[in-house]
């Protein structure tokens, strides 16, 4: 169910990795990486483009365009097949370990014949890598941690893939005759950062048409089990989908039950028992008479239990029941509340679209304001200069207010040096409307040094937002080690907002860190960190994560009116 753009992006990225593994030209590998990113971020469906259309995509020349057309026509790319054949499958498995690069993977295979994750884990435990050059104690610790991350991810899929799949299935099943309601539930509805199985519910009087429709979907690769109440299939991407059909009158109870979480449901069922009731996926019943008391809507079910409706993203048994009972349940922030995006990029640095296109796309989303924050010069590969950023500022001022009266803010994403310093002196930073500061390197500093680094950056009077604070990549890279309570306290004291980065492979800060930071009185910014027009739509993932962290409109600075936001950005100066 992935877009052709996503499929080609993954294939070109794999080819770049295969080039690196086999010791190929580094510039060639980098060219394919750039093309992969450009195609993945391209807004149009590449399956509808000819060679000339493909060549209009940044970083896509004739050679790459020809390979893309070959894949779209045949489902294969010959050069990738050839490279795969030259490399043992075990080596390709090894490079899935976060922190283990292609050269080290090949070295492990050639010197020790290690060709699987389990073999590598055993070799580390047996101290078999001790004499291998380049595999010192610290490297082995990093690899061991990478294996742990890989195993934790297991068969779970990213939130974005699960949501795309769910929405397509819901759209298909909603069109089947007899459907009165259809929606996804489970951990996806709770917006967990990864999803194991996908739960889909249908309200209808007859189940057979829906079970048949699910089994016959193009994306269904395997039928695991088929019944009248539940059918399970596996998609081509390996995601298990469980479909349940319930009577229309049981819709609300079923949604409450199958949304979960398990811990939340135990609490609601316990409340029911104490009231002489029984709660199931079919309704809330009087234990003695068996009469149904509530079932059609979730609101009815919760109300009969003496509770207000609880947002799905809060249903983790992290205090939401107590808050509901005491009238203290937060009204969590929604996507509609977001007035603007405060962290985005253009093709001036590593973005894929020019300023004008990004601004137009933001205006179409109905934003009241929008910030452009291209990289600063200390991230050397972006080749930023004072002249370039000032020219962008001039053009941005020309565009200000021209698109649906949306106001434009000129910002930058600063790079936090190992000592906590940032690009540009204070007198130059004073010319920006806002500054996001982020870690892009030196992730392995010790806890004390990392904490000092982050604290110093937040104490800079021109740093407004700490971008993707922990730098984690879900299932690929752990966050940096720091005393986060100290960092959160400094953010609250200095008026530095913490970012909830909406990129689905980041979601940084995560929900648990948000909950901790919120206790310190920190403010937050939910941003996309968009590098292409389609990335602006990823805001939904950041908002879902913010909800899981109990954030309200007042907690999130980019829900505020522009005048209040500008006051915050002055940071007391």
């Amino acid at each position: 169910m992935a877009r052709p753009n996503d499929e080609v992006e993954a294939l070109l990225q794999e080819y770049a990795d295969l080039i690196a593994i086999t010791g190929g030209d580094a510039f060639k590998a980098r060219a394919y990486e750039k093309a992969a990113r450009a195609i993945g971020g391209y807004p149009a469906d590449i399956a509808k483009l000819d060679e000339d259309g493909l060549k209009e995509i940044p970083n896509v020349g004739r050679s790459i365009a020809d390979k893309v057309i070959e894949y779209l026509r045949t489902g294969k790319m010959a050069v990738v097949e050839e490279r795969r054949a030259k490399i043992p499958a075990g080596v390709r498995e090894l490079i899935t370990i976060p922190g283990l690069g292609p050269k080290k993977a090949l070295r492990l295979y050639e010197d020790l014949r290690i060709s699987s994750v389990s073999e590598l884990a055993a070799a580390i435990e047996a101290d078999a890598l001790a004499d291998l050059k380049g595999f010192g104690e610290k490297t082995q610790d990093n690899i061991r941690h990478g294996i742990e991350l890989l195993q934790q991810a297991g068969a779970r899929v990213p939130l974005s893939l699960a949501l795309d799949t769910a929405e397509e299935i819901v759209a298909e099943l909603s069109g089947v005759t007899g459907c009165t309601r259809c929606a996804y539930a489970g951990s996806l509805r709770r917006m967990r950062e990864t999803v194991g199985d996908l739960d889909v519910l249908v309200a209808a009087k007859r189940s057979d048409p829906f079970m048949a429709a699910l089994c016959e979907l193009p994306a269904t690769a395997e039928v695991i089990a088929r019944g009248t109440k539940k059918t399970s299939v596996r998609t081509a991407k390996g995601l298990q989908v469980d479909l349940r059909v319930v009577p229309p009158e049981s819709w609300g109870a079923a949604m409450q039950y199958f949304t979960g979480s398990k811990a939340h449901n135990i609490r609601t069922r316990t409340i029911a028992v104490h009231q002489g009731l029984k709660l199931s996926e079919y309704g809330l019943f009087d234990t003695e008479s068996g009469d149904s008391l509530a079932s059609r809507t979730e609101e009815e079910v919760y109300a009969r239990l003496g509770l207000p409706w609880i947002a799905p993203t809060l249903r983790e048994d992290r205090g939401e029941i107590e808050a509901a009972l005491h009238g203290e349940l937060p009204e969590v922030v929604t996507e509609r509340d977001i007035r603007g995006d405060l962290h985005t990029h253009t093709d001036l640095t590593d973005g894929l679209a020019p300023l004008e296109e990004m601004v137009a796309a933001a205006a179409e989303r109905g934003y009241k304001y929008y910030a452009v924050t291209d990289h600063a010069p200390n991230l050397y590969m972006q080749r930023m200069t004072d002249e370039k950023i000032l020219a962008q500022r001039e053009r941005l001022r020309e565009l200000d207010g021209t698109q649906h009266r949306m106001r434009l803010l000129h910002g930058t994403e600063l790079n936090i040096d190992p000592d906590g310093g940032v690009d540009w002196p204070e007198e130059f930073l004073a010319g920006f409307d806002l500054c996001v500061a982020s870690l892009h390197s030196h992730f392995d500093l010790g806890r004390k040094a990392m904490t000092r680094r982050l604290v110093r950056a937040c104490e800079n009077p021109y740093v407004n937002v700490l971008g993707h604070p922990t730098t984690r990549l879900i299932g690929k890279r752990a966050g940096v080690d720091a005393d986060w309570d100290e960092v959160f306290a400094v953010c609250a004291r200095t008026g530095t907002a913490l970012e909830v980065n909406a990129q689905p492979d980041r979601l940084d800060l995560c929900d648990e860190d948000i909950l901790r930071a919120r206790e310190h009185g920190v403010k937050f910014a939910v941003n996309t960190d968009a590098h292409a027009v389609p990335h602006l739509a990823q805001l939904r993932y950041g908002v879902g994560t913010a909800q899981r962290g109990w954030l309200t409109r007042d907690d999130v600075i980019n829900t505020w009116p522009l005048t209040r936001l500008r006051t915050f950005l002055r940071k007391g100066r």
Side-chain angles (χ1 to χ4, degrees), residues 215 222-227 230-233:
C215 294
E222 174 191 2
V223 178
I224 301 171
R226 179 170 175 176
K230 175 184 175 183
T231 290
S232 298
V233 303

Side-chain angles (χ1 to χ4, degrees), residues 110 120-121 125 166 169 277 296 331 360 421 506:
E110 291 177 341
L120 178 56
E125 293 308 312
I169 291 175
L277 308 175
R296 287 191 172 273
E331 186 176 339
R506 287 189 185 275

Side-chain angles (χ1 to χ4, degrees), residues 344-349 355 371-377 382-397 409-414 423-425 428-429 431-435:
T344 69
H345 297 272
T346 75
D347 62 357
L348 184 62
T349 53
L355 173 66
V372 176
T373 55
D374 275 312
H375 289 288
Q382 305 306 340
R383 299 181 180 178
M384 178 58 78
T385 65
D386 295 7
E387 292 75 21
K388 286 182 180 180
I389 201 73
L390 292 175
Q392 183 187 67
R393 182 178 300 167
E394 184 176 348
R395 177 59 180 149
L396 186 137
R397 299 303 184 219
L409 304 176
H410 190 230
T412 183
E413 184 179 12
L414 302 168
D423 322 60
W424 285 313
F428 195 85
L429 293 178
F432 290 100
D433 295 312
L434 81 158
C435 295

Side-chain angles (χ1 to χ4, degrees), residues 10-32 63 67 70 76-93 95 102-103 106 109:
L11 198 60
L12 293 178
Q13 181 59 57
E14 181 187 356
Y15 186 49
D17 291 340
L18 293 173
I19 291 171
I21 292 173
T22 53
D25 185 346
F27 290 103
K28 183 177 182 181
R30 181 64 178 151
Y32 277 92
S63 176
K67 291 178 177 65
E70 175 194 358
K76 294 182 179 180
M77 202 176 284
V79 292
V80 178
E81 300 288 329
E82 292 167 6
R83 290 271 180 172
R84 283 174 178 166
K86 295 178 181 178
I87 302 166
V91 177
R92 298 202 299 273
E93 180 183 344
I95 65 170
K103 291 183 179 178
L106 189 60
Y109 177 78

Side-chain angles (χ1 to χ4, degrees), residues 123-395:
I124 292 175
E125 293 308 312
D127 202 24
L129 275 58
D131 296 328
L132 199 60
K133 186 178 180 181
F135 287 85
E137 186 175 339
K138 189 169 185 179
T139 298
Q140 291 187 54
D141 285 342
N142 290 338
I143 294 173
R144 186 183 290 110
H145 188 61
I147 292 173
E148 290 173 1
L149 285 174
L150 190 66
Q151 291 171 339
Q152 287 168 10
R156 299 182 70 84
V157 302
L159 173 64
S160 55
L161 173 59
L163 190 53
D164 287 345
T165 303
E167 289 181 337
E168 291 190 32
I169 291 175
V170 167
E172 291 283 350
L173 297 182
S174 295
V176 175
T177 301
C179 178
T180 61
R181 300 286 296 272
C182 182
Y184 55 82
S187 58
L188 176 59
R189 189 172 179 229
R190 302 198 313 276
M191 294 296 280
R192 288 281 303 272
E193 61 193 35
T194 60
V195 174
D197 300 333
L198 185 59
D199 295 293
V200 177
L201 298 184
V202 165
K205 294 182 178 179
R206 296 178 60 243
S207 65
D208 287 351
F210 301 94
M211 303 310 188
L214 178 66
C215 294
E216 294 165 7
L217 287 178
T220 296
E222 174 191 2
V223 178
I224 301 171
R226 179 170 175 176
T228 57
K229 293 183 178 180
K230 175 184 175 183
T231 290
S232 298
V233 303
R234 198 178 313 281
T235 71
K237 295 292 184 182
L239 179 62
Q240 181 172 322
V241 180
D242 296 329
L243 170 64
R244 294 172 176 85
V245 179
V246 299
E249 60 270 19
S250 296
W251 176 256
M255 282 297 286
Q256 194 281 330
Y257 183 88
F258 289 112
T259 293
S261 66
K262 181 179 179 180
H264 176 87
N265 284 357
I266 289 172
R267 296 294 304 279
T268 54
R269 288 200 299 271
T270 300
I271 292 173
V273 169
H274 288 163
Q275 297 180 17
L277 308 175
K278 178 184 178 182
L279 179 62
S280 74
E281 64 265 45
Y282 295 106
L284 186 61
F285 301 91
D286 184 282
T287 303
E288 291 187 5
S289 67
D291 292 341
S292 176
L293 305 178
S295 62
R296 287 191 172 273
T297 69
E298 284 190 316
E299 288 82 356
E300 285 180 9
V301 173
Y302 277 109
R304 186 61 183 79
L305 292 172
L307 298 168
W309 180 78
I310 299 174
T313 44
L314 299 181
R315 301 179 196 176
E316 296 289 354
D317 191 25
R318 293 195 289 206
E320 73 276 7
I321 298 292
E322 290 78 7
L325 289 171
H326 292 93
E328 298 172 353
L329 202 63
E331 186 176 339
V332 290
V333 64
T334 68
E335 196 170 350
R336 293 188 301 275
D337 295 326
I338 303 296
R339 293 173 182 249
D341 201 330
L342 300 181
H343 182 181
T344 69
H345 297 272
T346 75
D347 62 357
L348 184 62
T349 53
D350 59 346
L352 301 173
L355 173 66
E356 292 78 5
E357 288 184 18
M358 294 298 289
V359 168
E364 286 300 313
R365 292 182 62 82
Y367 287 151
K368 300 299 183 184
Y369 46 80
Y370 178 73
V372 176
T373 55
D374 275 312
H375 289 288
N378 286 4
L379 207 59
Y380 298 109
M381 71 285 291
Q382 305 306 340
R383 299 181 180 178
M384 178 58 78
T385 65
D386 295 7
E387 292 75 21
K388 286 182 180 180
I389 201 73
L390 292 175
Q392 183 187 67
R393 182 178 300 167
E394 184 176 348
R395 177 59 180 149

